[in-house]
Amino acid sequence: MMDDRMFRSGGDAYPRPRRALSGILLVVYVAVFLLEEIYVDNRLSRIQFVTSTFALSLDGLKQGYLWQLLTYQFMHGGYVHLLFNCLVLHYVGRTVETLLGRSAFVLVFFGGGLVGGLVQCLTALLPGGVDVPVVGASGGLMALLGVICWQFWTQRLRLLIMFIIPVNLTGRSMLILLTIIDVGGALLLRDNIAHFAHLGGLYTGFLAMKYLFGRRYLG
């Protein structure tokens, strides 16, 4: 993960908004997770209802549950999943929000989640693909990292791997590293992480900066 001190250019940090939307999202994520935990109460029927109705799946989209493209971004698969995503949003979200402004931040964040979710669902159509329900804000968070990669393309950033090990990478190197991690994870590990959603989100944020929002930050 990233050290908050890394977001500096020429020695000056971006100013922090007092009431950041990213901070409000943190509260919403925790509230939704707790409500979900209280409702399901380890009852299989309720777990199945919440998963089939609000988690994202290709089958759900085929049934017309288009709201899953939004609702899945507010759900998490456990306390560790929630904590990790909240930490990423805390360290990255406010900087990107300050850089882009709230409107563009919302478009990039939820757009990354939407595109990432669609990419993940479409992989179920590939040979050997499996339609597994997806939850989490990772697609949107990866879109924010895509913004950081573009904005700091040639500048060195300080990252904390697993919040412990400090490393310095340029935005370009970080984009390559994140791509390798998720491509490798998708093709080799076959774990329960939505690697294709990560990739869809990452490049949504990067391309949004390159073609939509980035011009205002050049020079």
Side-chain angles (χ1 to χ4, degrees):
M1 197 45 244
M2 301 180 183
D3 186 335
D4 192 46
R5 293 170 295 176
M6 79 172 197
F7 299 112
R8 300 176 184 272
S9 178
D12 296 324
Y14 288 112
R16 304 302 195 191
R18 291 184 178 180
R19 295 182 180 179
L21 180 59
S22 52
I24 297 174
L25 283 173
L26 286 174
V27 176
V28 173
Y29 285 148
V30 173
V32 169
F33 180 79
L34 292 178
L35 288 173
E36 182 184 345
E37 288 290 290
I38 292 172
Y39 175 74
V40 300
D41 192 27
N42 290 323
R43 298 184 186 181
L44 183 59
S45 60
R46 293 185 177 183
I47 293 174
Q48 291 175 335
F49 168 76
V50 170
T51 301
S52 63
T53 305
F54 300 108
L56 178 62
S57 67
L58 181 61
D59 182 64
L61 295 181
K62 288 180 177 179
Q63 294 184 54
Y65 297 171
L66 299 182
W67 61 81
Q68 291 182 351
L69 289 167
L70 177 64
T71 56
Y72 96 96
Q73 300 184 50
F74 290 90
M75 302 172 64
H76 289 87
Y79 290 98
V80 174
H81 189 200
L82 174 68
L83 176 62
F84 188 83
N85 280 354
C86 284
L87 286 172
V88 175
L89 183 59
H90 170 73
Y91 282 112
V92 182
R94 294 183 67 189
T95 295
V96 175
E97 182 179 347
T98 303
L99 176 66
L100 298 181
R102 284 193 173 186
S103 297
F105 171 84
V106 169
L107 287 175
V108 169
F109 183 71
F110 289 107
L114 188 152
V115 172
L118 284 175
V119 171
Q120 185 68 37
C121 286
L122 289 175
T123 61
L125 299 175
L126 299 175
V130 181
D131 186 20
V132 179
V134 179
V135 297
S138 300
L141 295 173
M142 292 296 286
L144 300 184
L145 290 175
V147 171
I148 296 298
C149 290
W150 188 95
Q151 177 65 15
F152 297 92
W153 188 244
T154 59
Q155 299 178 51
R156 289 198 171 273
L157 309 176
R158 177 181 297 162
L159 291 83
L160 295 178
I161 304 299
M162 298 305 295
F163 305 100
I164 299 175
I165 306 172
V167 297
N168 292 315
L169 294 173
T170 63
R172 179 185 338 186
S173 299
M174 186 168 77
L175 183 70
I176 294 172
L177 176 62
L178 292 173
T179 300
I180 291 174
I181 289 173
D182 278 310
V183 170
L187 299 180
L188 302 177
L189 299 181
R190 295 188 177 274
D191 49 24
N192 62 350
I193 298 175
H195 293 288
F196 287 108
H198 289 186
L199 290 168
L202 176 66
Y203 282 92
T204 295
F206 182 80
L207 294 176
M209 285 298 289
K210 185 173 183 178
Y211 295 109
L212 296 179
F213 306 119
R215 292 179 179 272
R216 75 182 73 171
Y217 305 107
L218 293 174

